[in-house]
Amino acid sequence: MTHQVLVVPVAFNEKIKLRNVIERFLKSPMPSQADYLIVDDGSDDGTTEMIASYKDRGVMTIKHPKRRGVGAAIRTAIHHARTRGYGIVVIMAGNDKDNPEEIPQLLEPIVKDNWDLVQGSRYLGKVGSGGEMPFYRKLATRLHPWVFTVLTGHKVTDTTNGFRAIRLSIFDDQRIDLNQEWLDTYELEPYILWKAATLGYKYKEAFVTKIYPPKTQGGYTKMIPIVSWWSILKPLFYLRLGIKK
C-alpha cells in the first residue's frame, strides 16, 4: 500500500484535539504505509501553526484562506490526491473521534477484494460509539441511515460517519460531480455514498469505533442545530427527486 494511500483528517479550529489525532496516527502502524495530509479549513486559533510543527515528521498540509466547509475540505483532499497519483484516500475526523489503528479495516477490502468504497460504521453488528456523544446525535445517527436505506434501497447502518476509504478512480465517472457549491458543507459526504450505492459501485461497511472526546477539550461538534442537520439530509431528497445531479 506504500505511496498509493493518502490519509486525510480535515479540521477547523481543532488545535487541541488535532494534535492528539496527529500523535495517534504517528504512533500507529500506518505511517510506513500511507502519506498523511491535513486539510486546514481556514483555522485561526493556532491550529495552522501546530500542524506546521509536524512538518519534519512527514505531516503535509493544505490550508484554505478562509473557512469553506467540511465538504469543500474533503473536495480539496480528493483533488489533491487524484492529481498526485494516489489510488485511495482515507477521510477521517480532525477532532479525535476516529482511531487511526482502524484504518487497515477500511483499506483491506479495497486493496485485497477490489471494493470501491468502504464506509466506517459504529453500528455494524455491535455499537462502537462512546464518550460524550449527545443524545440527539445518537438519534440522528440512527435516523439518517434509515432514510438513506428507504430512499436508495441500499441498506447502510451508519451514513453520517466521516471515517471512510474511497478508491479514487470512481471520480473519473462524470456522473459524480464534486464541483458543485451546494456540496460545500455537510452535503458532500452523503452525496458520495449515495452515488457509490446507486451507480453500482462496490461498497460495503466495516466496523469502526467513534469515541467522542470530553466536551472540555473544545466541544464535541461544530454542527449548527437545524441548519447542519438539513445539510446532511437534503442530498438524499435532492438526489431522489432529481433536483440535483
Side-chain angles (χ1 to χ4, degrees):
M1 291 186 286
T2 304
H3 302 309
Q4 76 158 331
V5 178
L6 183 66
V7 176
V8 186
V10 297
F12 168 73
N13 285 357
E14 292 288 6
K15 178 174 63 175
I16 297 173
K17 288 181 281 188
L18 183 60
R19 182 183 294 277
N20 200 39
V21 171
I22 296 170
E23 289 289 348
R24 291 175 72 191
F25 176 81
L26 294 175
K27 292 174 183 176
S28 76
M30 289 308 300
S32 63
Q33 299 175 304
D35 291 333
Y36 196 64
L37 170 77
I38 297 170
V39 178
D40 177 354
D41 191 30
S43 297
D44 56 10
D45 70 334
T47 294
T48 305
E49 293 74 18
M50 184 277 294
I51 297 170
S53 70
Y54 285 91
K55 181 179 179 181
D56 292 342
R57 298 177 67 182
V59 175
M60 302 178 289
T61 186
I62 296 174
K63 180 175 181 177
H64 290 166
K66 62 180 181 179
R67 189 181 186 187
R68 294 170 54 195
V70 64
I74 293 171
R75 182 192 299 125
T76 293
I78 290 170
H79 287 338
H80 176 89
R82 293 184 71 204
T83 57
R84 283 156 180 79
Y86 291 98
I88 304 167
V89 65
V90 177
I91 304 296
M92 61 188 302
N95 56 12
D96 205 23
K97 293 176 183 174
D98 299 325
N99 182 357
E101 293 190 1
E102 295 174 340
I103 293 173
Q105 295 163 208
L106 302 176
L107 288 174
E108 186 171 327
I110 296 177
V111 174
K112 292 187 176 180
D113 299 317
N114 294 314
W115 292 86
D116 296 303
L117 186 151
V118 181
Q119 169 69 40
S121 174
R122 77 200 98 177
Y123 301 128
L124 192 64
K126 53 185 176 178
V127 176
S129 62
E132 296 187 12
M133 184 180 185
F135 180 70
Y136 78 86
R137 288 288 294 157
K138 293 178 181 179
L139 291 178
T141 57
R142 293 288 197 174
L143 174 63
H144 194 276
W146 179 81
V147 175
F148 184 98
T149 299
V150 169
L151 295 180
T152 65
H154 295 268
K155 182 173 175 56
V156 182
T157 65
D158 194 357
T159 49
T160 62
N161 193 336
F163 198 14
R164 58 175 64 88
I166 310 168
R167 185 187 302 279
L168 289 164
S169 60
I170 74 170
F171 299 113
D172 294 335
D173 190 330
Q174 294 184 358
R175 296 171 296 176
I176 305 176
D177 183 6
L178 303 183
N179 299 312
Q180 302 179 74
E181 289 187 7
W182 73 279
L183 299 174
D184 279 357
T185 54
Y186 294 101
E187 300 89 355
L188 187 72
E189 295 174 276
Y191 174 87
I192 292 173
L193 184 58
W194 176 289
K195 288 291 187 176
T198 60
L199 293 177
Y201 288 97
K202 291 181 62 180
Y203 77 96
K204 66 178 299 184
E205 292 181 292
F207 179 76
V208 296
T209 54
K210 197 83 168 179
I211 308 301
Y212 281 63
K215 193 174 180 180
T216 54
Q217 293 184 9
Y220 47 70
T221 183
K222 290 185 170 63
M223 297 183 73
I224 302 170
I226 309 300
V227 175
S228 298
W229 303 342
W230 174 237
S231 293
I232 294 176
L233 272 173
K234 71 182 180 185
L236 309 186
F237 295 102
Y238 282 8
L239 293 168
R240 184 69 179 86
L241 297 172
I243 297 171
K244 298 288 187 180
K245 61 178 182 177

